[in-house]
Structures are given as structure tokens and as C-alpha cells.
Amino acid sequence: MGALTLKCVLIVGCPGAGKSTAARALSEITGLPVIHLDRHYWQPGWRMPDGDVWRATVEALAAEPRWIMDGNYSGTLVSRLTQADTLIHLDYPTGLCLWRVLRRTTLGWGRVRADTGQGCPERFNAEFLRFVVNYRRDQRARDMARMADFAGEVHRFTGPTELAAFIARCRTFTAANAAGEFILGAACYEKIAAVEGVELTLAMKQRFRDATKTNASPDEYRNTIIDAHRKP
């Protein structure tokens, strides 16, 4: 993982992929506020908002200077992408997403989730389940096309293990700059070096940058800079 500046992070993917959970995890690391789009979309009784009202709501939310925003809502995806600096796409298999939706519905039956609208208790919804089942066939290609021109940093994960490793690396290598932006990855080598009491050389910085390109664990990342200090 190279240098990554976070101010506006968009998390998208099929329902059930775990977008809201990922948003909360990254918020704990960075302090960026979370915007759960489901909470703003659904009205009491699972009523949908007027289309124009919804688009205006999304534009106002995306205009905020700092956020982690989760939710697909393909109709407003392009407008959100123009405001984001980082895109996290949870491109998970249908079976996993469907299982997670069914599990979430069963365990939360009759209760209102923290990431959805007030007055919207968890329920079984056949139409929603069909959408999850058919997402990759009917919707994924259109979403991919909308994401294709995104100019910011893209992180696409095909399973929970990949996402967990990314979040673990973020938790280990995070620092805020003077502008209040959060820097993840190789740009944090100064922070790690300070913690370890290591004076960095250009060669050591390069070794650390090289290490961040691998799928190493957080401890392996930390050890890289310690080992670099020991090598001539």
C-alpha cells in the first residue's frame, strides 16, 4: 500500500458485503465522520424519498469536507465519486453477500439498525433479496463503468480477508498531517521510525516503500524498518 491521503472515502459494493462495518472500522482509525447513506435514504416505514430530494440530499452530504460514506445507490454514484479522493469497492461473491444479508435480517429481526433510517425495523424483503442475488448479473457492470474514470485511489477487494488485511495495515500506519488529512501507508515511515528510535536514510525509505507493495502483516511492516536500520 503506497501513500494514501484520506479526506473523503467512498465505500461501495453489493448489499451484504459489509460496507457499513468497514466504514466504522476506518472511522475508528482516522477519526473521519461516517455517513451511512441508508440512514438518510429510508424514511419511516421503509418509504423511499422523492428522487429530486434524494439527489439534493446526497449532493449536500458529499459537499462536506471530510467523510467516510457507505452505500451503493448507483443513481448517485457518479456525483459522489467526483467528491471522493478514495474508493473502496467490496467486490464480493453473491453467495457471501446473500448469506450475510440473511444472517443480518434473522439476528436483527424487528430492530432498527444503527446504519439505517429511523422507523425501519429489520425485515424480510423478497424484492431486496432478489436484488442481492441478481446484483452481479444486472448491476455490477454498470457500477464498474461508473467507477472506471475515477481519478482517485482505488482499493478493490474480492473477499473479507483482503479487506481485513487492508484495515490492519491502516491501523498500524496512520498519521495526520497539518491539514488534518490522514496519511496511510508508505508516507507513515517517519512515524514508525520515530516510535522505533530509528534515523531514516534514503535507502531505508526505499526498503519500506518496497515492503508496502506486498501483502504483509502489520508486524512484518514494522519489522521492515527495524531490519533496514540494522542493515548497512
Side-chain angles (χ1 to χ4, degrees), residues 79-97:
S79 64
R80 284 177 282 137
L81 286 169
T82 61
Q83 300 297 321
D85 55 56
T86 304
L87 171 65
I88 296 175
H89 180 202
L90 306 185
D91 193 21
Y92 290 3
T94 298
L96 175 61
C97 293

Side-chain angles (χ1 to χ4, degrees), residues 26-188:
L26 286 175
S27 176
E28 290 175 2
I29 296 168
T30 64
L32 294 171
V34 174
I35 298 175
H36 297 301
L37 286 181
D38 280 351
R39 185 182 293 171
H40 296 272
Y41 182 82
W42 291 108
Q43 309 303 302
W46 292 101
R47 290 181 295 107
M48 294 183 291
D50 173 80
D52 291 337
V53 171
W54 172 238
R55 283 187 288 272
T57 298
V58 171
E59 289 176 3
L61 292 171
E64 294 293 320
R66 301 166 66 249
W67 42 258
I68 298 174
M69 184 181 295
D70 70 87
N72 231 47
Y73 295 98
S74 299
T76 62
L77 179 55
V78 172
S79 64
R80 284 177 282 137
L81 286 169
T82 61
Q83 300 297 321
D85 55 56
T86 304
L87 171 65
I88 296 175
H89 180 202
L90 306 185
D91 193 21
Y92 290 3
T94 298
L96 175 61
C97 293
L98 179 61
W99 180 83
R100 285 182 164 186
V101 167
L102 291 172
R103 182 177 184 273
R104 180 179 73 192
T105 301
T106 301
L107 296 179
W109 177 263
R111 297 194 294 271
V112 177
R113 301 198 319 267
D115 56 1
T116 197
Q118 291 298 314
C120 297
E122 196 65 39
R123 60 175 185 167
F124 280 104
N125 183 312
E127 183 179 356
F128 178 63
L129 293 177
R130 281 194 296 271
F131 178 85
V132 175
V133 169
N134 297 323
Y135 173 82
R136 293 188 74 84
R137 185 193 70 187
D138 298 342
Q139 188 63 47
R140 180 179 179 275
R142 281 177 284 183
D143 287 346
M144 292 292 286
R146 293 180 174 112
M147 290 184 268
D149 295 329
F150 179 62
E153 185 87 12
V154 179
H155 295 270
R156 181 166 287 115
F157 305 110
T158 59
T161 301
E162 294 176 357
L163 175 64
F166 172 79
I167 290 175
R169 293 195 296 273
C170 290
R171 185 172 287 113
T172 302
F173 302 113
T174 307
N177 64 18
E181 300 167 333
F182 288 85
I183 312 297
L184 307 181
C188 285

